[in-house]
Amino acid sequence: MAFYDIKSASNPQEKTTLEQKHVPLISVPAKVKQGEFFEVTVKMGEIDHPVEPGHFIQYVDLYANYYHLGRVGFTPEMKPEATLRVKLEESCTLRAYILCNLHGQWENAVDIIVE
Ligand SMILES: [Fe+2]
């Protein structure tokens, strides 16, 4: 693994414990209406990530394809999950990138249909 790699689940059906703690889970409706707000929830992860001063999730970034929608920052006092209200103009891939202060950047993505 190169230093600048962004990590994801190598086999999404059989995640390692490290992957289960870091790969962001993105919850969205399968279909949404064009221009109408809907909720996107991102949490880390399948197994709760540690929340302590020496080890915590620092932020999550959300993208529509490669367009930056927003960022939520966390401190060691915050559970690393967030719900954002988003509107989209066309179908795209929603991507979440998170940063763990010890384990680096992780990503996940889901396709969303905009009608
Ligand atoms: Fe971590």
Side-chain angles (χ1 to χ4, degrees):
M1 182 79 56
F3 185 81
Y4 291 115
D5 280 352
I6 297 173
K7 297 175 266 304
S8 59
S10 42
N11 175 1
Q13 268 66 52
E14 219 170 299
K15 291 181 191 159
T16 64
T17 304
L18 196 67
E19 289 170 348
Q20 286 178 322
K21 286 181 184 172
H22 292 89
V23 173
L25 297 184
I26 308 167
S27 301
V28 288
K31 290 181 186 176
V32 297
K33 291 208 166 88
Q34 183 182 39
E36 288 190 12
F37 286 104
F38 63 95
E39 288 189 350
V40 180
T41 297
V42 185
K43 60 177 284 201
M44 282 60 72
E46 266 170 46
I47 299 175
D48 283 346
H49 187 276
V51 179
E52 52 198 53
H55 187 196
F56 67 105
I57 303 294
Q58 294 180 287
Y59 62 78
V60 56
D61 279 330
L62 190 68
Y63 287 77
N65 292 335
Y66 293 99
Y67 177 82
H68 187 241
L69 293 170
R71 170 177 288 190
V72 178
F74 305 106
T75 65
E77 287 73 36
M78 296 173 73
K79 192 169 174 66
E81 63 180 58
T83 298
L84 299 98
R85 292 182 62 79
V86 174
K87 59 179 177 162
L88 297 171
E89 294 305 317
E90 59 188 52
S91 299
C92 65
T93 301
L94 281 179
R95 303 170 196 280
Y97 294 85
I98 66 107
L99 179 66
C100 166
N101 71 319
L102 286 186
H103 299 107
Q105 279 198 321
W106 297 75
E107 67 174 335
N108 202 357
V110 295
D111 293 328
I112 185 161
I113 296 169
V114 177
E115 299 179 319

